[in-house]
Structures are given as C-alpha cells and as structure tokens.
Tab-separated table of all heavy atoms in Angstrom:
chain	number	residue	atom	x	y	z
A	420	MET	N	89.557	-25.522	-55.722
A	420	MET	CA	88.817	-26.571	-55.068
A	420	MET	C	89.026	-27.868	-55.838
A	420	MET	O	88.806	-27.941	-57.041
A	420	MET	CB	87.338	-26.198	-55.062
A	420	MET	CG	86.480	-27.167	-54.376
A	420	MET	SD	84.953	-26.263	-54.190
A	420	MET	CE	83.754	-27.293	-53.790
A	421	ALA	N	89.455	-28.882	-55.161
A	421	ALA	CA	89.754	-30.176	-55.785
A	421	ALA	C	88.457	-30.942	-56.058
A	421	ALA	O	87.490	-30.833	-55.314
A	421	ALA	CB	90.642	-31.013	-54.881
A	422	ARG	N	88.473	-31.684	-57.148
A	422	ARG	CA	87.317	-32.523	-57.477
A	422	ARG	C	87.218	-33.681	-56.505
A	422	ARG	O	88.220	-34.235	-56.093
A	422	ARG	CB	87.450	-33.083	-58.870
A	422	ARG	CG	87.184	-32.123	-59.960
A	422	ARG	CD	87.281	-32.859	-61.271
A	422	ARG	NE	86.204	-32.431	-62.120
A	422	ARG	CZ	86.061	-32.816	-63.356
A	422	ARG	NH1	86.909	-33.666	-63.886
A	422	ARG	NH2	85.061	-32.379	-64.069
A	423	GLN	N	86.000	-34.043	-56.206
A	423	GLN	CA	85.756	-35.216	-55.388
A	423	GLN	C	85.943	-36.453	-56.255
A	423	GLN	O	85.566	-36.461	-57.423
A	423	GLN	CB	84.329	-35.199	-54.837
A	423	GLN	CG	84.064	-34.061	-53.878
A	423	GLN	CD	84.834	-34.251	-52.596
A	423	GLN	OE1	85.023	-35.371	-52.108
A	423	GLN	NE2	85.321	-33.161	-52.032
A	424	PRO	N	86.539	-37.498	-55.730
A	424	PRO	CA	86.685	-38.723	-56.520
A	424	PRO	C	85.308	-39.285	-56.868
A	424	PRO	O	84.386	-39.240	-56.046
A	424	PRO	CB	87.469	-39.664	-55.623
A	424	PRO	CG	87.419	-39.084	-54.264
A	424	PRO	CD	87.083	-37.633	-54.389
A	425	ARG	N	85.187	-39.790	-58.080
A	425	ARG	CA	83.924	-40.389	-58.507
A	425	ARG	C	83.882	-41.850	-58.078
A	425	ARG	O	84.896	-42.528	-58.102
A	425	ARG	CB	83.800	-40.338	-60.019
A	425	ARG	CG	83.648	-38.955	-60.549
A	425	ARG	CD	83.463	-38.993	-62.040
A	425	ARG	NE	83.406	-37.636	-62.558
A	425	ARG	CZ	83.268	-37.355	-63.825
A	425	ARG	NH1	83.179	-38.319	-64.723
A	425	ARG	NH2	83.215	-36.109	-64.225
A	426	PRO	N	82.690	-42.306	-57.719
A	426	PRO	CA	82.590	-43.739	-57.408
A	426	PRO	C	82.792	-44.552	-58.674
A	426	PRO	O	82.562	-44.073	-59.782
A	426	PRO	CB	81.158	-43.887	-56.880
A	426	PRO	CG	80.416	-42.689	-57.360
A	426	PRO	CD	81.434	-41.598	-57.572
A	427	ALA	N	83.229	-45.781	-58.492
A	427	ALA	CA	83.421	-46.668	-59.643
A	427	ALA	C	82.084	-46.848	-60.356
A	427	ALA	O	81.053	-47.025	-59.710
A	427	ALA	CB	83.963	-48.005	-59.179
A	428	PRO	N	82.086	-46.771	-61.689
A	428	PRO	CA	80.816	-46.945	-62.405
A	428	PRO	C	80.292	-48.369	-62.283
A	428	PRO	O	81.062	-49.307	-62.192
A	428	PRO	CB	81.164	-46.610	-63.850
A	428	PRO	CG	82.638	-46.818	-63.945
A	428	PRO	CD	83.200	-46.567	-62.588
A	429	THR	N	78.995	-48.472	-62.248
A	429	THR	CA	78.377	-49.785	-62.249
A	429	THR	C	77.726	-49.989	-63.612
A	429	THR	O	77.254	-49.042	-64.240
A	429	THR	CB	77.319	-49.911	-61.146
A	429	THR	OG1	76.349	-48.888	-61.324
A	429	THR	CG2	77.939	-49.777	-59.765
A	430	THR	N	77.732	-51.198	-64.078
A	430	THR	CA	77.133	-51.498	-65.362
A	430	THR	C	76.173	-52.659	-65.213
A	430	THR	O	76.266	-53.455	-64.279
A	430	THR	CB	78.196	-51.869	-66.411
A	430	THR	OG1	78.928	-52.989	-65.944
A	430	THR	CG2	79.146	-50.713	-66.674
A	431	LEU	N	75.240	-52.726	-66.118
A	431	LEU	CA	74.290	-53.823	-66.156
A	431	LEU	C	74.560	-54.650	-67.410
A	431	LEU	O	74.928	-54.092	-68.448
A	431	LEU	CB	72.859	-53.274	-66.209
A	431	LEU	CG	72.423	-52.447	-65.021
A	431	LEU	CD1	71.054	-51.825	-65.286
A	431	LEU	CD2	72.364	-53.309	-63.778
A	432	PRO	N	74.376	-55.957	-67.331
A	432	PRO	CA	74.598	-56.771	-68.526
A	432	PRO	C	73.668	-56.314	-69.659
A	432	PRO	O	72.487	-56.075	-69.447
A	432	PRO	CB	74.213	-58.189	-68.079
A	432	PRO	CG	74.277	-58.149	-66.597
A	432	PRO	CD	73.979	-56.740	-66.187
A	433	GLY	N	74.223	-56.146	-70.843
A	433	GLY	CA	73.430	-55.762	-71.993
A	433	GLY	C	73.115	-54.289	-72.107
A	433	GLY	O	72.400	-53.871	-72.997
A	434	VAL	N	73.632	-53.471	-71.188
A	434	VAL	CA	73.363	-52.036	-71.218
A	434	VAL	C	74.670	-51.304	-71.479
A	434	VAL	O	75.667	-51.519	-70.780
A	434	VAL	CB	72.720	-51.534	-69.913
A	434	VAL	CG1	72.543	-50.032	-69.929
A	434	VAL	CG2	71.379	-52.221	-69.706
A	435	ALA	N	74.684	-50.438	-72.484
A	435	ALA	CA	75.877	-49.681	-72.839
A	435	ALA	C	75.704	-48.223	-72.412
A	435	ALA	O	74.643	-47.644	-72.605
A	435	ALA	CB	76.119	-49.740	-74.344
A	436	ASP	N	76.732	-47.650	-71.814
A	436	ASP	CA	76.776	-46.222	-71.540
A	436	ASP	C	77.403	-45.564	-72.753
A	436	ASP	O	78.496	-45.929	-73.170
A	436	ASP	CB	77.617	-45.917	-70.296
A	436	ASP	CG	76.953	-46.396	-69.024
A	436	ASP	OD1	75.728	-46.222	-68.903
A	436	ASP	OD2	77.654	-46.935	-68.155
A	437	VAL	N	76.691	-44.597	-73.340
A	437	VAL	CA	77.118	-44.004	-74.603
A	437	VAL	C	77.272	-42.502	-74.459
A	437	VAL	O	76.448	-41.846	-73.819
A	437	VAL	CB	76.092	-44.308	-75.720
A	437	VAL	CG1	76.517	-43.719	-77.050
A	437	VAL	CG2	75.850	-45.803	-75.845
A	438	ARG	N	78.330	-41.973	-75.073
A	438	ARG	CA	78.541	-40.527	-75.139
A	438	ARG	C	78.570	-40.145	-76.611
A	438	ARG	O	79.240	-40.795	-77.411
A	438	ARG	CB	79.850	-40.120	-74.487
A	438	ARG	CG	80.119	-38.604	-74.637
A	438	ARG	CD	81.414	-38.223	-74.025
A	438	ARG	NE	82.505	-38.739	-74.846
A	438	ARG	CZ	83.780	-38.528	-74.593
A	438	ARG	NH1	84.140	-37.851	-73.539
A	438	ARG	NH2	84.712	-39.016	-75.384
A	439	ILE	N	77.845	-39.096	-76.960
A	439	ILE	CA	77.880	-38.584	-78.327
A	439	ILE	C	78.263	-37.107	-78.253
A	439	ILE	O	77.823	-36.393	-77.360
A	439	ILE	CB	76.530	-38.786	-79.043
A	439	ILE	CG1	76.612	-38.338	-80.491
A	439	ILE	CG2	75.383	-38.117	-78.320
A	439	ILE	CD1	75.407	-38.714	-81.330
A	440	VAL	N	79.126	-36.698	-79.164
A	440	VAL	CA	79.544	-35.296	-79.247
A	440	VAL	C	79.137	-34.802	-80.633
A	440	VAL	O	79.702	-35.237	-81.633
A	440	VAL	CB	81.059	-35.135	-79.029
A	440	VAL	CG1	81.461	-33.685	-79.116
A	440	VAL	CG2	81.481	-35.749	-77.706
A	441	ALA	N	78.136	-33.936	-80.666
A	441	ALA	CA	77.629	-33.433	-81.945
A	441	ALA	C	76.717	-32.239	-81.679
A	441	ALA	O	76.330	-31.989	-80.533
A	441	ALA	CB	76.859	-34.520	-82.672
A	442	ASP	N	76.360	-31.544	-82.752
A	442	ASP	CA	75.389	-30.471	-82.577
A	442	ASP	C	74.024	-31.106	-82.286
A	442	ASP	O	73.822	-32.306	-82.432
A	442	ASP	CB	75.342	-29.555	-83.813
A	442	ASP	CG	74.949	-30.301	-85.073
A	442	ASP	OD1	73.833	-30.872	-85.114
A	442	ASP	OD2	75.767	-30.338	-86.009
A	443	GLU	N	73.076	-30.272	-81.855
A	443	GLU	CA	71.786	-30.785	-81.407
A	443	GLU	C	71.039	-31.540	-82.502
A	443	GLU	O	70.462	-32.599	-82.260
A	443	GLU	CB	70.931	-29.617	-80.897
A	443	GLU	CG	69.664	-30.061	-80.206
A	443	GLU	CD	68.913	-28.893	-79.572
A	443	GLU	OE1	69.558	-27.941	-79.101
A	443	GLU	OE2	67.675	-28.971	-79.573
A	444	ALA	N	71.053	-31.027	-83.724
A	444	ALA	CA	70.345	-31.677	-84.834
A	444	ALA	C	70.925	-33.064	-85.124
A	444	ALA	O	70.184	-34.032	-85.319
A	444	ALA	CB	70.376	-30.809	-86.078
A	445	THR	N	72.241	-33.156	-85.144
A	445	THR	CA	72.891	-34.440	-85.413
A	445	THR	C	72.626	-35.425	-84.276
A	445	THR	O	72.353	-36.595	-84.521
A	445	THR	CB	74.401	-34.249	-85.622
A	445	THR	OG1	74.597	-33.322	-86.695
A	445	THR	CG2	75.097	-35.562	-85.920
A	446	THR	N	72.694	-34.944	-83.052
A	446	THR	CA	72.410	-35.802	-81.909
A	446	THR	C	71.008	-36.385	-82.016
A	446	THR	O	70.815	-37.592	-81.842
A	446	THR	CB	72.567	-35.021	-80.590
A	446	THR	OG1	73.931	-34.592	-80.466
A	446	THR	CG2	72.211	-35.874	-79.398
A	447	GLU	N	70.019	-35.552	-82.317
A	447	GLU	CA	68.642	-36.035	-82.434
A	447	GLU	C	68.491	-37.049	-83.564
A	447	GLU	O	67.788	-38.039	-83.428
A	447	GLU	CB	67.668	-34.877	-82.620
A	447	GLU	CG	67.334	-34.156	-81.332
A	447	GLU	CD	66.835	-35.095	-80.237
A	447	GLU	OE1	65.925	-35.932	-80.501
A	447	GLU	OE2	67.359	-35.030	-79.121
A	448	LEU	N	69.173	-36.805	-84.675
A	448	LEU	CA	69.111	-37.734	-85.798
A	448	LEU	C	69.676	-39.106	-85.392
A	448	LEU	O	69.059	-40.146	-85.658
A	448	LEU	CB	69.878	-37.182	-86.989
A	448	LEU	CG	69.932	-38.080	-88.219
A	448	LEU	CD1	68.555	-38.197	-88.858
A	448	LEU	CD2	70.929	-37.552	-89.222
A	449	VAL	N	70.817	-39.105	-84.743
A	449	VAL	CA	71.442	-40.361	-84.295
A	449	VAL	C	70.540	-41.066	-83.287
A	449	VAL	O	70.324	-42.281	-83.368
A	449	VAL	CB	72.851	-40.110	-83.731
A	449	VAL	CG1	73.399	-41.349	-83.036
A	449	VAL	CG2	73.794	-39.631	-84.818
A	450	LEU	N	69.995	-40.325	-82.343
A	450	LEU	CA	69.114	-40.932	-81.342
A	450	LEU	C	67.858	-41.513	-81.989
A	450	LEU	O	67.414	-42.601	-81.601
A	450	LEU	CB	68.747	-39.910	-80.267
A	450	LEU	CG	69.899	-39.437	-79.389
A	450	LEU	CD1	69.432	-38.335	-78.456
A	450	LEU	CD2	70.522	-40.574	-78.630
A	451	ASP	N	67.295	-40.823	-82.969
A	451	ASP	CA	66.112	-41.348	-83.677
A	451	ASP	C	66.426	-42.678	-84.349
A	451	ASP	O	65.630	-43.615	-84.298
A	451	ASP	CB	65.605	-40.337	-84.713
A	451	ASP	CG	64.922	-39.140	-84.091
A	451	ASP	OD1	64.578	-39.195	-82.882
A	451	ASP	OD2	64.741	-38.137	-84.807
A	452	VAL	N	67.583	-42.772	-84.990
A	452	VAL	CA	67.981	-44.023	-85.644
A	452	VAL	C	68.176	-45.125	-84.606
A	452	VAL	O	67.704	-46.253	-84.778
A	452	VAL	CB	69.250	-43.829	-86.487
A	452	VAL	CG1	69.805	-45.164	-86.972
A	452	VAL	CG2	68.970	-42.899	-87.664
A	453	LEU	N	68.847	-44.811	-83.511
A	453	LEU	CA	69.066	-45.823	-82.472
A	453	LEU	C	67.755	-46.307	-81.872
A	453	LEU	O	67.603	-47.492	-81.562
A	453	LEU	CB	69.980	-45.268	-81.380
A	453	LEU	CG	71.442	-45.093	-81.772
A	453	LEU	CD1	72.205	-44.377	-80.670
A	453	LEU	CD2	72.083	-46.421	-82.103
A	454	ARG	N	66.778	-45.386	-81.711
A	454	ARG	CA	65.483	-45.773	-81.123
A	454	ARG	C	64.731	-46.779	-81.992
A	454	ARG	O	63.885	-47.517	-81.484
A	454	ARG	CB	64.607	-44.535	-80.918
A	454	ARG	CG	64.989	-43.713	-79.742
A	454	ARG	CD	64.004	-42.556	-79.531
A	454	ARG	NE	64.523	-41.641	-78.551
A	454	ARG	CZ	65.030	-40.449	-78.819
A	454	ARG	NH1	65.064	-39.990	-80.069
A	454	ARG	NH2	65.503	-39.685	-77.858
A	455	THR	N	65.008	-46.825	-83.280
A	455	THR	CA	64.316	-47.789	-84.139
A	455	THR	C	64.804	-49.208	-83.888
A	455	THR	O	64.118	-50.161	-84.249
A	455	THR	CB	64.488	-47.451	-85.634
A	455	THR	OG1	65.851	-47.568	-85.999
A	455	THR	CG2	63.951	-46.069	-85.964
A	456	HIS	N	65.971	-49.362	-83.285
A	456	HIS	CA	66.553	-50.695	-83.075
A	456	HIS	C	66.760	-51.052	-81.612
A	456	HIS	O	66.899	-52.243	-81.293
A	456	HIS	CB	67.900	-50.803	-83.786
A	456	HIS	CG	67.799	-50.595	-85.260
A	456	HIS	ND1	67.294	-51.554	-86.106
A	456	HIS	CD2	68.104	-49.535	-86.032
A	456	HIS	CE1	67.303	-51.097	-87.337
A	456	HIS	NE2	67.792	-49.874	-87.327
A	457	PHE	N	66.841	-50.057	-80.747
A	457	PHE	CA	67.171	-50.289	-79.340
A	457	PHE	C	66.280	-49.460	-78.429
A	457	PHE	O	65.665	-48.499	-78.857
A	457	PHE	CB	68.632	-49.899	-79.054
A	457	PHE	CG	69.628	-50.622	-79.908
A	457	PHE	CD1	70.201	-49.998	-80.999
A	457	PHE	CD2	70.008	-51.917	-79.610
A	457	PHE	CE1	71.130	-50.650	-81.793
A	457	PHE	CE2	70.939	-52.586	-80.396
A	457	PHE	CZ	71.502	-51.947	-81.479
A	458	THR	N	66.279	-49.820	-77.165
A	458	THR	CA	65.664	-48.981	-76.140
A	458	THR	C	66.768	-48.122	-75.555
A	458	THR	O	67.819	-48.634	-75.156
A	458	THR	CB	65.046	-49.859	-75.033
A	458	THR	OG1	64.069	-50.714	-75.637
A	458	THR	CG2	64.411	-49.017	-73.953
A	459	ILE	N	66.547	-46.794	-75.534
A	459	ILE	CA	67.553	-45.895	-74.980
A	459	ILE	C	66.908	-44.964	-73.960
A	459	ILE	O	65.699	-44.727	-74.011
A	459	ILE	CB	68.275	-45.063	-76.073
A	459	ILE	CG1	67.310	-44.132	-76.784
A	459	ILE	CG2	68.972	-45.970	-77.073
A	459	ILE	CD1	67.995	-43.151	-77.720
A	460	THR	N	67.730	-44.458	-73.057
A	460	THR	CA	67.243	-43.488	-72.088
A	460	THR	C	67.270	-42.098	-72.713
A	460	THR	O	67.880	-41.883	-73.760
A	460	THR	CB	68.135	-43.467	-70.830
A	460	THR	OG1	69.471	-43.105	-71.197
A	460	THR	CG2	68.138	-44.811	-70.119
A	461	ALA	N	66.598	-41.169	-72.068
A	461	ALA	CA	66.655	-39.779	-72.530
A	461	ALA	C	68.085	-39.287	-72.366
A	461	ALA	O	68.723	-39.551	-71.334
A	461	ALA	CB	65.696	-38.912	-71.716
A	462	PRO	N	68.630	-38.591	-73.351
A	462	PRO	CA	70.017	-38.127	-73.245
A	462	PRO	C	70.158	-37.053	-72.178
A	462	PRO	O	69.245	-36.251	-71.964
A	462	PRO	CB	70.322	-37.568	-74.638
A	462	PRO	CG	68.997	-37.243	-75.206
A	462	PRO	CD	68.023	-38.213	-74.607
A	463	ARG	N	71.284	-37.070	-71.490
A	463	ARG	CA	71.628	-36.030	-70.503
A	463	ARG	C	72.617	-35.103	-71.179
A	463	ARG	O	73.770	-35.491	-71.407
A	463	ARG	CB	72.231	-36.669	-69.253
A	463	ARG	CG	71.294	-37.611	-68.541
A	463	ARG	CD	71.935	-38.274	-67.316
A	463	ARG	NE	73.269	-38.833	-67.524
A	463	ARG	CZ	73.526	-40.054	-67.995
A	463	ARG	NH1	72.539	-40.851	-68.328
A	463	ARG	NH2	74.761	-40.476	-68.128
A	464	PRO	N	72.185	-33.895	-71.539
A	464	PRO	CA	73.098	-32.982	-72.244
A	464	PRO	C	74.106	-32.339	-71.293
A	464	PRO	O	73.798	-32.060	-70.130
A	464	PRO	CB	72.154	-31.928	-72.834
A	464	PRO	CG	70.948	-31.971	-71.973
A	464	PRO	CD	70.836	-33.357	-71.417
A	465	TYR	N	75.306	-32.121	-71.800
A	465	TYR	CA	76.369	-31.435	-71.080
A	465	TYR	C	76.956	-30.380	-72.011
A	465	TYR	O	76.653	-30.350	-73.199
A	465	TYR	CB	77.474	-32.418	-70.654
A	465	TYR	CG	77.049	-33.325	-69.523
A	465	TYR	CD1	76.335	-34.483	-69.777
A	465	TYR	CD2	77.341	-33.016	-68.199
A	465	TYR	CE1	75.931	-35.314	-68.753
A	465	TYR	CE2	76.940	-33.856	-67.164
A	465	TYR	CZ	76.238	-35.000	-67.448
A	465	TYR	OH	75.837	-35.815	-66.429
A	466	SER	N	77.817	-29.561	-71.491
A	466	SER	CA	78.417	-28.498	-72.305
A	466	SER	C	79.275	-29.079	-73.415
A	466	SER	O	79.678	-30.240	-73.366
A	466	SER	CB	79.262	-27.582	-71.413
A	466	SER	OG	80.336	-28.312	-70.856
A	467	GLY	N	79.541	-28.278	-74.422
A	467	GLY	CA	80.412	-28.702	-75.507
A	467	GLY	C	79.778	-29.674	-76.474
A	467	GLY	O	80.472	-30.380	-77.183
A	468	GLY	N	78.442	-29.755	-76.509
A	468	GLY	CA	77.773	-30.639	-77.443
A	468	GLY	C	77.782	-32.101	-77.047
A	468	GLY	O	77.490	-32.963	-77.863
A	469	ARG	N	78.121	-32.381	-75.783
A	469	ARG	CA	78.161	-33.774	-75.330
A	469	ARG	C	76.799	-34.186	-74.772
A	469	ARG	O	76.148	-33.409	-74.086
A	469	ARG	CB	79.211	-33.955	-74.241
A	469	ARG	CG	80.621	-33.732	-74.709
A	469	ARG	CD	81.598	-33.808	-73.558
A	469	ARG	NE	81.320	-32.696	-72.642
A	469	ARG	CZ	81.510	-32.744	-71.327
A	469	ARG	NH1	81.980	-33.832	-70.773
A	469	ARG	NH2	81.242	-31.709	-70.585
A	470	SER	N	76.409	-35.387	-75.055
A	470	SER	CA	75.219	-35.985	-74.465
A	470	SER	C	75.560	-37.414	-74.054
A	470	SER	O	76.286	-38.105	-74.748
A	470	SER	CB	74.051	-36.011	-75.448
A	470	SER	OG	73.635	-34.712	-75.760
A	471	TYR	N	75.020	-37.825	-72.933
A	471	TYR	CA	75.238	-39.174	-72.425
A	471	TYR	C	73.881	-39.873	-72.311
A	471	TYR	O	72.895	-39.256	-71.912
A	471	TYR	CB	75.893	-39.139	-71.038
A	471	TYR	CG	77.289	-38.567	-71.063
A	471	TYR	CD1	77.497	-37.201	-71.008
A	471	TYR	CD2	78.379	-39.404	-71.143
A	471	TYR	CE1	78.786	-36.671	-71.031
A	471	TYR	CE2	79.667	-38.895	-71.159
A	471	TYR	CZ	79.863	-37.529	-71.098
A	471	TYR	OH	81.128	-37.008	-71.118
A	472	PHE	N	73.847	-41.158	-72.672
A	472	PHE	CA	72.627	-41.933	-72.524
A	472	PHE	C	72.989	-43.400	-72.382
A	472	PHE	O	74.137	-43.777	-72.558
A	472	PHE	CB	71.664	-41.710	-73.702
A	472	PHE	CG	72.239	-42.084	-75.040
A	472	PHE	CD1	72.000	-43.333	-75.587
A	472	PHE	CD2	73.015	-41.187	-75.757
A	472	PHE	CE1	72.520	-43.678	-76.827
A	472	PHE	CE2	73.539	-41.523	-77.000
A	472	PHE	CZ	73.297	-42.774	-77.536
A	473	GLN	N	72.008	-44.202	-72.035
A	473	GLN	CA	72.210	-45.638	-71.940
A	473	GLN	C	71.416	-46.320	-73.041
A	473	GLN	O	70.323	-45.875	-73.404
A	473	GLN	CB	71.792	-46.164	-70.573
A	473	GLN	CG	72.726	-45.700	-69.471
A	473	GLN	CD	72.343	-46.290	-68.145
A	473	GLN	OE1	71.169	-46.348	-67.794
A	473	GLN	NE2	73.337	-46.738	-67.397
A	474	LEU	N	71.973	-47.383	-73.558
A	474	LEU	CA	71.383	-48.139	-74.658
A	474	LEU	C	71.266	-49.578	-74.225
A	474	LEU	O	72.253	-50.194	-73.810
A	474	LEU	CB	72.289	-48.004	-75.888
A	474	LEU	CG	71.842	-48.678	-77.155
A	474	LEU	CD1	72.244	-47.822	-78.341
A	474	LEU	CD2	72.450	-50.046	-77.286
A	475	ASP	N	70.051	-50.117	-74.270
A	475	ASP	CA	69.817	-51.517	-73.938
A	475	ASP	C	70.059	-52.326	-75.197
A	475	ASP	O	69.392	-52.142	-76.216
A	475	ASP	CB	68.386	-51.699	-73.455
A	475	ASP	CG	68.083	-53.115	-73.004
A	475	ASP	OD1	68.851	-54.040	-73.325
A	475	ASP	OD2	67.056	-53.301	-72.337
A	476	THR	N	71.029	-53.221	-75.177
A	476	THR	CA	71.397	-53.972	-76.375
A	476	THR	C	70.507	-55.182	-76.623
A	476	THR	O	70.743	-55.934	-77.566
A	476	THR	CB	72.866	-54.425	-76.295
A	476	THR	OG1	73.022	-55.268	-75.144
A	476	THR	CG2	73.807	-53.260	-76.232
A	477	GLY	N	69.472	-55.348	-75.812
A	477	GLY	CA	68.543	-56.447	-76.037
A	477	GLY	C	67.808	-56.273	-77.355
A	477	GLY	O	67.610	-55.173	-77.855
A	478	ASN	N	67.423	-57.366	-77.938
A	478	ASN	CA	66.732	-57.349	-79.224
A	478	ASN	C	65.291	-56.889	-79.009
A	478	ASN	O	64.545	-57.483	-78.243
A	478	ASN	CB	66.762	-58.748	-79.834
A	478	ASN	CG	66.167	-58.790	-81.217
A	478	ASN	OD1	65.632	-57.802	-81.698
A	478	ASN	ND2	66.220	-59.938	-81.832
A	479	THR	N	64.884	-55.822	-79.691
A	479	THR	CA	63.514	-55.316	-79.570
A	479	THR	C	62.676	-55.665	-80.797
A	479	THR	O	61.558	-55.211	-80.930
A	479	THR	CB	63.512	-53.782	-79.365
A	479	THR	OG1	64.139	-53.176	-80.495
A	479	THR	CG2	64.210	-53.389	-78.085
A	480	ALA	N	63.241	-56.465	-81.711
A	480	ALA	CA	62.496	-56.860	-82.906
A	480	ALA	C	61.338	-57.768	-82.524
A	480	ALA	O	61.447	-58.574	-81.608
A	480	ALA	CB	63.429	-57.571	-83.881
A	481	PRO	N	60.206	-57.621	-83.210
A	481	PRO	CA	59.068	-58.497	-82.893
A	481	PRO	C	59.381	-59.955	-83.242
A	481	PRO	O	60.194	-60.236	-84.121
A	481	PRO	CB	57.932	-57.960	-83.770
A	481	PRO	CG	58.595	-57.137	-84.808
A	481	PRO	CD	59.928	-56.688	-84.271
A	482	ASP	N	58.766	-60.855	-82.511
A	482	ASP	CA	58.941	-62.271	-82.800
A	482	ASP	C	58.347	-62.583	-84.169
A	482	ASP	O	57.294	-62.039	-84.537
A	482	ASP	CB	58.252	-63.136	-81.752
A	482	ASP	CG	58.942	-63.077	-80.410
A	482	ASP	OD1	60.176	-62.823	-80.396
A	482	ASP	OD2	58.278	-63.283	-79.393
A	483	PRO	N	58.990	-63.462	-84.938
A	483	PRO	CA	58.424	-63.830	-86.243
A	483	PRO	C	57.109	-64.581	-86.048
A	483	PRO	O	56.914	-65.268	-85.045
A	483	PRO	CB	59.510	-64.705	-86.866
A	483	PRO	CG	60.365	-65.155	-85.751
A	483	PRO	CD	60.233	-64.139	-84.667
A	484	LEU	N	56.221	-64.430	-87.012
A	484	LEU	CA	54.957	-65.137	-86.945
A	484	LEU	C	55.168	-66.622	-87.211
A	484	LEU	O	55.983	-67.015	-88.043
A	484	LEU	CB	53.971	-64.571	-87.970
A	484	LEU	CG	53.636	-63.107	-87.780
A	484	LEU	CD1	52.767	-62.632	-88.948
A	484	LEU	CD2	52.898	-62.885	-86.471
A	485	ASP	N	54.452	-67.443	-86.503
A	485	ASP	CA	54.564	-68.901	-86.702
A	485	ASP	C	53.868	-69.309	-87.953
A	485	ASP	O	52.904	-68.867	-88.390
A	485	ASP	CB	53.990	-69.649	-85.494
A	485	ASP	CG	54.853	-69.419	-84.272
A	485	ASP	OD1	55.856	-70.118	-84.126
A	485	ASP	OD2	54.505	-68.531	-83.472
C-alpha cells in the first residue's frame, strides 16, 4: 500500500517544529530545560525514541522592574 502524500507543512512566525531522538529520561530532561526558557507543546512520541513538539521562540522572561 502506497503512502498518501503529505500536505505541505505550515509554520507560524516564531514557532519552531522540533524533533528529538533520545531515551525517555533524556527527552524529559531536555524538555524540562527548554520549558524554563520557552513555551513548548506536549511532545508527541513516535517509535524509535522520537518525539516531536513545537517551541515558541518568543521571549518569556519577565519584564525588568522600572
């Protein structure tokens, strides 16, 4: 059975589509570090240790006090 062609991916400004290939513990560690600096979606796990998620590259740091 032939694969169906995938639609062209759409992207949003400032949003990165990310794939990580690692064991579960390493994936969680990397995601925890990224969450401290960025807003990310919940990872979608796939076979072979792959996970896909989106990362918003907007600055989430608090505004400095005046």
Side-chain angles (χ1 to χ4, degrees):
M420 182 166 166
R422 285 183 138 175
Q423 295 292 324
R425 292 183 184 179
T429 57
T430 58
L431 297 173
V434 176
D436 291 319
V437 181
R438 176 181 72 178
I439 184 170
V440 180
D442 60 61
E443 189 173 326
T445 303
T446 297
E447 281 306 311
L448 178 68
V449 169
L450 294 175
D451 287 345
V452 170
L453 288 173
R454 283 185 191 106
T455 65
H456 300 285
F457 303 101
T458 301
I459 64 171
T460 61
R463 298 178 313 274
Y465 288 84
S466 63
R469 295 175 295 149
S470 295
Y471 295 84
F472 60 95
Q473 291 183 317
L474 182 144
D475 183 345
T476 60
N478 185 355
T479 60
D482 290 333
L484 299 174
D485 293 277

